[in-house]
Coordinates of all heavy atoms in Angstrom, one line a residue:
M11 N 111.0 -29.3 -142.8 CA 111.1 -28.9 -141.4 C 111.6 -30.0 -140.6 O 111.1 -31.1 -140.6 CB 109.7 -28.5 -140.9 CG 109.7 -27.6 -139.7 SD 108.0 -27.1 -139.3 CE 108.2 -25.4 -139.1
G12 N 112.7 -29.8 -139.8 CA 113.3 -30.9 -139.0 C 112.5 -31.1 -137.7 O 111.8 -30.3 -137.2
S13 N 112.8 -32.3 -137.2 CA 112.1 -32.6 -135.9 C 112.9 -32.0 -134.7 O 114.1 -32.0 -134.8 CB 111.9 -34.1 -135.7 OG 113.2 -34.7 -135.6
A14 N 112.2 -31.6 -133.8 CA 112.9 -31.0 -132.6 C 112.3 -31.7 -131.3 O 111.1 -32.0 -131.2 CB 112.6 -29.5 -132.5
E15 N 113.2 -32.0 -130.4 CA 112.8 -32.6 -129.2 C 112.8 -31.6 -128.1 O 113.8 -30.9 -127.9 CB 113.7 -33.8 -128.9 CG 113.2 -34.6 -127.7 CD 114.0 -35.9 -127.5 OE1 114.4 -36.5 -128.5 OE2 114.3 -36.2 -126.3
T16 N 111.8 -31.5 -127.3 CA 111.7 -30.5 -126.2 C 111.7 -31.3 -124.9 O 110.9 -32.2 -124.8 CB 110.5 -29.6 -126.3 OG1 110.5 -29.0 -127.6 CG2 110.4 -28.6 -125.2
T17 N 112.5 -30.9 -124.0 CA 112.5 -31.5 -122.7 C 112.0 -30.5 -121.7 O 112.4 -29.3 -121.6 CB 114.0 -31.8 -122.2 OG1 114.5 -32.7 -123.2 CG2 114.0 -32.5 -120.9
I18 N 110.9 -30.9 -121.0 CA 110.3 -30.0 -120.0 C 111.0 -30.3 -118.6 O 110.9 -31.5 -118.2 CB 108.8 -30.2 -119.9 CG1 108.2 -29.9 -121.2 CG2 108.2 -29.4 -118.8 CD1 106.7 -30.2 -121.3
E19 N 111.6 -29.4 -118.1 CA 112.3 -29.6 -116.8 C 111.4 -28.9 -115.7 O 110.9 -27.8 -115.9 CB 113.7 -29.0 -116.8 CG 114.6 -29.7 -117.8 CD 116.0 -29.1 -117.7 OE1 116.4 -28.5 -116.7 OE2 116.7 -29.2 -118.7
Y20 N 111.3 -29.5 -114.6 CA 110.6 -28.9 -113.5 C 111.3 -29.3 -112.2 O 111.9 -30.3 -112.0 CB 109.1 -29.3 -113.5 CG 108.9 -30.8 -113.4 CD1 108.6 -31.5 -112.3 CD2 109.0 -31.6 -114.6 CE1 108.4 -32.9 -112.2 CE2 108.8 -33.0 -114.6 CZ 108.5 -33.6 -113.4 OH 108.3 -34.9 -113.4
G21 N 111.3 -28.3 -111.3 CA 112.0 -28.5 -110.0 C 111.2 -29.3 -109.0 O 110.0 -29.7 -109.2
P22 N 111.7 -29.5 -107.8 CA 111.1 -30.3 -106.8 C 109.8 -29.7 -106.3 O 108.9 -30.4 -105.8 CB 112.1 -30.3 -105.7 CG 113.1 -29.3 -105.9 CD 113.0 -29.0 -107.4
G23 N 109.6 -28.3 -106.4 CA 108.4 -27.7 -105.9 C 107.3 -27.6 -107.0 O 106.2 -27.3 -106.7
A24 N 107.6 -28.0 -108.2 CA 106.6 -27.9 -109.3 C 106.2 -29.3 -109.7 O 106.9 -30.2 -109.7 CB 107.2 -27.1 -110.5
S25 N 104.9 -29.4 -110.1 CA 104.4 -30.7 -110.6 C 104.6 -30.7 -112.1 O 104.8 -29.7 -112.8 CB 103.0 -30.8 -110.3 OG 102.2 -30.0 -111.0
L26 N 104.5 -31.9 -112.7 CA 104.6 -32.1 -114.1 C 103.5 -31.4 -114.8 O 103.6 -30.7 -115.8 CB 104.6 -33.6 -114.5 CG 104.6 -33.9 -116.0 CD1 105.9 -33.3 -116.6 CD2 104.6 -35.4 -116.2
L27 N 102.3 -31.4 -114.2 CA 101.1 -30.7 -114.8 C 101.3 -29.2 -114.9 O 100.9 -28.6 -115.8 CB 99.8 -31.1 -114.1 CG 99.3 -32.5 -114.3 CD1 98.1 -32.8 -113.4 CD2 99.0 -32.9 -115.7
S28 N 101.9 -28.7 -113.8 CA 102.2 -27.3 -113.8 C 103.2 -26.9 -114.9 O 103.1 -25.9 -115.6 CB 102.8 -26.9 -112.4 OG 103.2 -25.5 -112.4
A29 N 104.2 -27.8 -115.1 CA 105.2 -27.5 -116.2 C 104.6 -27.6 -117.5 O 104.9 -26.8 -118.4 CB 106.3 -28.6 -116.0
I30 N 103.6 -28.5 -117.7 CA 102.9 -28.6 -119.0 C 102.1 -27.3 -119.2 O 102.2 -26.7 -120.3 CB 102.0 -29.8 -119.0 CG1 102.9 -31.1 -119.1 CG2 101.1 -29.8 -120.2 CD1 102.1 -32.4 -118.9
S31 N 101.4 -26.8 -118.2 CA 100.7 -25.6 -118.4 C 101.6 -24.4 -118.8 O 101.2 -23.6 -119.7 CB 100.0 -25.2 -117.0 OG 99.0 -26.2 -116.7
S32 N 102.7 -24.3 -118.1 CA 103.6 -23.2 -118.4 C 104.2 -23.3 -119.8 O 104.3 -22.3 -120.5 CB 104.8 -23.3 -117.4 OG 104.4 -23.1 -116.1
E33 N 104.4 -24.5 -120.3 CA 105.0 -24.7 -121.6 C 103.9 -24.4 -122.7 O 104.2 -23.7 -123.7 CB 105.5 -26.1 -121.8 CG 106.2 -26.4 -123.1 CD 107.4 -25.6 -123.3 OE1 108.0 -25.0 -122.4 OE2 107.9 -25.5 -124.5
V34 N 102.6 -24.7 -122.4 CA 101.6 -24.4 -123.4 C 101.4 -22.9 -123.5 O 101.3 -22.3 -124.6 CB 100.2 -25.1 -123.0 CG1 99.1 -24.5 -123.7 CG2 100.3 -26.5 -123.1
V35 N 101.5 -22.2 -122.3 CA 101.4 -20.7 -122.3 C 102.5 -20.1 -123.1 O 102.4 -19.2 -123.9 CB 101.3 -20.2 -120.9 CG1 101.5 -18.7 -120.9 CG2 100.0 -20.6 -120.2
R36 N 103.7 -20.6 -122.9 CA 104.9 -20.1 -123.5 C 104.8 -20.3 -125.1 O 105.1 -19.3 -125.8 CB 106.2 -20.8 -123.1 CG 107.5 -20.2 -123.7 CD 108.7 -21.2 -123.5 NE 108.5 -22.4 -124.3 CZ 108.6 -22.5 -125.6 NH1 108.9 -21.4 -126.3 NH2 108.5 -23.6 -126.2
M37 N 104.3 -21.4 -125.5 CA 104.2 -21.7 -127.0 C 103.1 -20.8 -127.6 O 103.3 -20.3 -128.7 CB 103.9 -23.2 -127.2 CG 105.1 -24.0 -127.0 SD 104.9 -25.8 -127.5 CE 103.3 -26.2 -126.8
Q38 N 102.0 -20.6 -126.9 CA 101.0 -19.7 -127.4 C 101.5 -18.3 -127.6 O 101.3 -17.7 -128.6 CB 99.8 -19.6 -126.4 CG 98.9 -20.9 -126.4 CD 97.9 -20.8 -127.4 OE1 98.1 -21.3 -128.5 NE2 96.7 -20.2 -127.1
K39 N 102.3 -17.8 -126.6 CA 102.8 -16.5 -126.7 C 103.9 -16.4 -127.8 O 103.9 -15.4 -128.6 CB 103.4 -16.0 -125.4 CG 102.4 -15.7 -124.3 CD 103.0 -15.3 -123.0 CE 101.9 -15.0 -122.0 NZ 102.4 -14.6 -120.7
E40 N 104.7 -17.4 -128.0 CA 105.7 -17.4 -129.0 C 105.1 -17.5 -130.4 O 105.5 -16.7 -131.3 CB 106.6 -18.6 -128.8 CG 107.7 -18.7 -129.9 CD 108.6 -19.9 -129.7 OE1 108.7 -20.5 -128.5 OE2 109.3 -20.3 -130.6
F41 N 104.1 -18.3 -130.6 CA 103.6 -18.6 -132.0 C 102.5 -17.7 -132.4 O 102.2 -17.4 -133.5 CB 103.2 -20.0 -132.2 CG 104.4 -21.0 -132.1 CD1 104.5 -21.9 -131.1 CD2 105.4 -20.9 -133.1 CE1 105.6 -22.7 -131.0 CE2 106.5 -21.7 -133.0 CZ 106.6 -22.7 -132.0
F42 N 101.7 -17.2 -131.4 CA 100.6 -16.3 -131.7 C 100.7 -14.9 -131.2 O 99.9 -14.0 -131.5 CB 99.3 -16.9 -131.1 CG 98.9 -18.3 -131.7 CD1 99.1 -19.4 -130.9 CD2 98.4 -18.4 -133.0 CE1 98.8 -20.6 -131.4 CE2 98.1 -19.6 -133.5 CZ 98.3 -20.8 -132.7
G43 N 101.8 -14.6 -130.5 CA 102.0 -13.2 -130.1 C 101.3 -12.8 -128.8 O 101.5 -11.8 -128.2
K44 N 100.3 -13.7 -128.4 CA 99.5 -13.4 -127.2 C 99.1 -14.8 -126.7 O 98.8 -15.7 -127.4 CB 98.3 -12.6 -127.6 CG 97.5 -12.0 -126.5 CD 96.4 -11.1 -127.0 CE 95.8 -10.4 -125.9 NZ 94.8 -9.5 -126.3
G45 N 99.1 -14.8 -125.4 CA 98.7 -16.1 -124.8 C 97.8 -15.9 -123.6 O 97.4 -14.8 -123.3
P46 N 97.4 -17.1 -123.0 CA 96.4 -17.0 -122.0 C 97.0 -16.4 -120.7 O 98.2 -16.4 -120.5 CB 96.1 -18.5 -121.7 CG 97.2 -19.2 -122.3 CD 97.8 -18.4 -123.4
V47 N 96.1 -15.8 -119.9 CA 96.4 -15.2 -118.6 C 96.6 -16.3 -117.6 O 97.5 -16.2 -116.7 CB 95.4 -14.2 -118.2 CG1 95.7 -13.5 -116.9 CG2 95.2 -13.1 -119.3
E48 N 95.8 -17.3 -117.6 CA 95.9 -18.4 -116.7 C 95.8 -19.7 -117.5 O 95.1 -19.8 -118.5 CB 94.7 -18.4 -115.7 CG 94.6 -17.2 -114.8 CD 93.4 -17.3 -113.9 OE1 93.1 -18.3 -113.4 OE2 92.7 -16.2 -113.8
A49 N 96.4 -20.7 -117.0 CA 96.3 -22.1 -117.6 C 96.5 -23.1 -116.5 O 97.3 -22.9 -115.5 CB 97.4 -22.3 -118.6
K50 N 95.7 -24.2 -116.6 CA 95.8 -25.3 -115.6 C 95.6 -26.6 -116.4 O 94.7 -26.7 -117.2 CB 94.8 -25.1 -114.5 CG 95.0 -26.1 -113.4 CD 94.2 -25.8 -112.2 CE 94.5 -26.8 -111.1 NZ 93.8 -26.5 -109.9
S51 N 96.4 -27.6 -116.0 CA 96.4 -28.9 -116.7 C 95.8 -29.9 -115.8 O 96.0 -29.9 -114.6 CB 97.8 -29.3 -117.1 OG 98.3 -28.4 -118.1
Y52 N 95.0 -30.8 -116.4 CA 94.4 -31.9 -115.6 C 94.7 -33.2 -116.4 O 94.6 -33.2 -117.6 CB 92.8 -31.7 -115.6 CG 92.4 -30.4 -114.9 CD1 92.2 -29.3 -115.6 CD2 92.2 -30.4 -113.5 CE1 91.8 -28.1 -115.0 CE2 91.8 -29.2 -112.9 CZ 91.6 -28.1 -113.6 OH 91.2 -26.9 -113.0
M53 N 94.9 -34.3 -115.6 CA 95.0 -35.6 -116.2 C 93.8 -36.4 -115.8 O 93.6 -36.5 -114.6 CB 96.3 -36.2 -115.7 CG 96.7 -37.4 -116.5 SD 97.2 -37.0 -118.1 CE 97.4 -38.6 -118.8
L54 N 93.1 -36.9 -116.7 CA 91.9 -37.7 -116.5 C 91.9 -39.0 -117.3 O 91.8 -38.9 -118.5 CB 90.6 -36.9 -116.8 CG 89.3 -37.6 -116.6 CD1 89.1 -37.9 -115.1 CD2 88.2 -36.6 -117.1
D55 N 92.2 -40.1 -116.7 CA 92.4 -41.4 -117.4 C 93.5 -41.2 -118.4 O 94.6 -40.9 -118.0 CB 91.1 -41.9 -118.0 CG 90.0 -42.2 -117.0 OD1 90.4 -42.6 -115.8 OD2 88.9 -42.0 -117.3
D56 N 93.2 -41.3 -119.7 CA 94.2 -41.2 -120.7 C 94.2 -39.8 -121.4 O 94.7 -39.7 -122.5 CB 94.0 -42.3 -121.8 CG 94.3 -43.7 -121.3 OD1 95.0 -43.8 -120.3 OD2 93.8 -44.6 -121.9
F57 N 93.5 -38.9 -120.8 CA 93.4 -37.5 -121.4 C 94.1 -36.5 -120.6 O 94.1 -36.4 -119.4 CB 91.9 -37.1 -121.4 CG 91.0 -38.0 -122.3 CD1 90.3 -39.0 -121.7 CD2 91.0 -37.9 -123.6 CE1 89.5 -39.8 -122.4 CE2 90.2 -38.7 -124.4 CZ 89.4 -39.7 -123.8
L58 N 94.8 -35.6 -121.4 CA 95.5 -34.5 -120.8 C 94.7 -33.3 -121.3 O 94.5 -33.0 -122.5 CB 96.9 -34.3 -121.3 CG 97.6 -33.0 -120.9 CD1 97.8 -32.9 -119.4 CD2 99.0 -32.9 -121.6
I59 N 94.1 -32.5 -120.3 CA 93.3 -31.3 -120.6 C 94.0 -30.1 -120.1 O 94.3 -30.1 -118.9 CB 91.9 -31.5 -120.0 CG1 91.2 -32.8 -120.5 CG2 91.0 -30.3 -120.3 CD1 90.0 -33.2 -119.7
V60 N 94.2 -29.1 -120.9 CA 94.7 -27.8 -120.5 C 93.7 -26.8 -120.7 O 93.2 -26.5 -121.8 CB 96.0 -27.5 -121.3 CG1 96.6 -26.1 -120.8 CG2 97.0 -28.6 -121.2
V61 N 93.2 -26.2 -119.6 CA 92.2 -25.1 -119.6 C 92.9 -23.8 -119.5 O 93.8 -23.5 -118.6 CB 91.3 -25.3 -118.4 CG1 90.3 -24.2 -118.3 CG2 90.6 -26.6 -118.4
M62 N 92.6 -23.0 -120.5 CA 93.3 -21.6 -120.6 C 92.2 -20.6 -120.5 O 91.2 -20.7 -121.1 CB 94.0 -21.5 -122.0 CG 95.1 -22.6 -122.1 SD 96.0 -22.5 -123.7 CE 94.8 -23.2 -124.8
R63 N 92.6 -19.5 -119.8 CA 91.7 -18.4 -119.6 C 92.3 -17.1 -120.0 O 93.5 -16.8 -119.6 CB 91.2 -18.3 -118.2 CG 90.3 -19.5 -117.8 CD 89.7 -19.3 -116.4 NE 88.6 -20.2 -116.2 CZ 88.8 -21.3 -115.5 NH1 89.9 -21.6 -114.9 NH2 87.8 -22.2 -115.4
G64 N 91.6 -16.2 -120.6 CA 92.0 -14.8 -121.0 C 93.1 -14.8 -122.1 O 93.5 -15.9 -122.6
G65 N 93.4 -13.6 -122.5 CA 94.4 -13.4 -123.5 C 94.0 -13.9 -124.9 O 94.9 -14.3 -125.7
V66 N 92.7 -13.7 -125.2 CA 92.3 -14.2 -126.6 C 92.7 -13.1 -127.6 O 92.9 -11.9 -127.3 CB 90.7 -14.3 -126.6 CG1 90.3 -15.5 -125.8 CG2 90.0 -13.1 -126.3
T67 N 93.0 -13.6 -128.8 CA 93.3 -12.7 -129.9 C 92.1 -12.0 -130.5 O 91.0 -12.4 -130.1 CB 94.0 -13.5 -131.1 OG1 93.0 -14.4 -131.6 CG2 95.2 -14.3 -130.6
T68 N 92.3 -11.0 -131.3 CA 91.2 -10.3 -131.9 C 90.3 -11.2 -132.7 O 89.1 -11.1 -132.6 CB 91.7 -9.2 -132.8 OG1 92.6 -8.3 -132.0 CG2 90.6 -8.3 -133.4
A69 N 90.9 -12.1 -133.5 CA 90.1 -13.1 -134.3 C 89.2 -14.0 -133.3 O 88.1 -14.2 -133.6 CB 91.0 -13.9 -135.1
E70 N 89.8 -14.5 -132.3 CA 89.1 -15.3 -131.3 C 88.0 -14.6 -130.7 O 86.9 -15.1 -130.5 CB 90.1 -15.9 -130.3 CG 91.1 -16.9 -130.8 CD 92.2 -17.2 -129.9 OE1 92.5 -16.3 -129.0 OE2 92.8 -18.3 -130.0
Q71 N 88.2 -13.3 -130.3 CA 87.2 -12.5 -129.7 C 86.0 -12.3 -130.6 O 84.9 -12.3 -130.2 CB 87.7 -11.1 -129.2 CG 86.8 -10.3 -128.4 CD 86.3 -11.1 -127.1 OE1 87.1 -11.6 -126.3 NE2 85.0 -11.2 -126.9
T72 N 86.3 -12.0 -131.9 CA 85.3 -11.9 -132.9 C 84.4 -13.1 -133.0 O 83.2 -13.0 -133.1 CB 85.9 -11.6 -134.3 OG1 86.7 -10.4 -134.2 CG2 84.8 -11.4 -135.4
M73 N 85.0 -14.3 -133.0 CA 84.2 -15.5 -133.0 C 83.4 -15.7 -131.8 O 82.2 -16.2 -131.8 CB 85.2 -16.7 -133.2 CG 85.8 -16.8 -134.6 SD 86.7 -18.3 -134.8 CE 88.2 -18.0 -133.8
L74 N 83.9 -15.3 -130.6 CA 83.2 -15.4 -129.4 C 82.0 -14.5 -129.3 O 81.0 -14.7 -128.7 CB 84.1 -15.2 -128.2 CG 85.1 -16.2 -127.9 CD1 86.1 -15.7 -126.8 CD2 84.4 -17.5 -127.4
D75 N 82.1 -13.3 -130.0 CA 81.0 -12.3 -130.0 C 79.8 -12.8 -130.8 O 78.7 -12.2 -130.6 CB 81.5 -11.0 -130.5 CG 82.5 -10.3 -129.6 OD1 82.5 -10.7 -128.4 OD2 83.3 -9.5 -130.0
F76 N 79.9 -13.7 -131.7 CA 78.8 -14.2 -132.5 C 77.9 -15.1 -131.7 O 78.1 -15.8 -130.9 CB 79.2 -14.9 -133.8 CG 79.6 -13.9 -134.8 CD1 80.9 -13.6 -135.1 CD2 78.6 -13.2 -135.5 CE1 81.3 -12.7 -136.0 CE2 79.0 -12.3 -136.5 CZ 80.3 -12.0 -136.8

């Protein structure tokens, strides 16, 4: 598998964290067929945290039900 470089572009009205959230949602939908309904990114010291809500797959819902 070759390496691919992705460039995240964002306009003057969007923040980098917003662009990261959008990209995570896009990748979830592309690779899993379903993605979160909402996502928000936070930067805390050296940590990038992306909180995603909704849009769980059937397998994920099964695990949450236990």
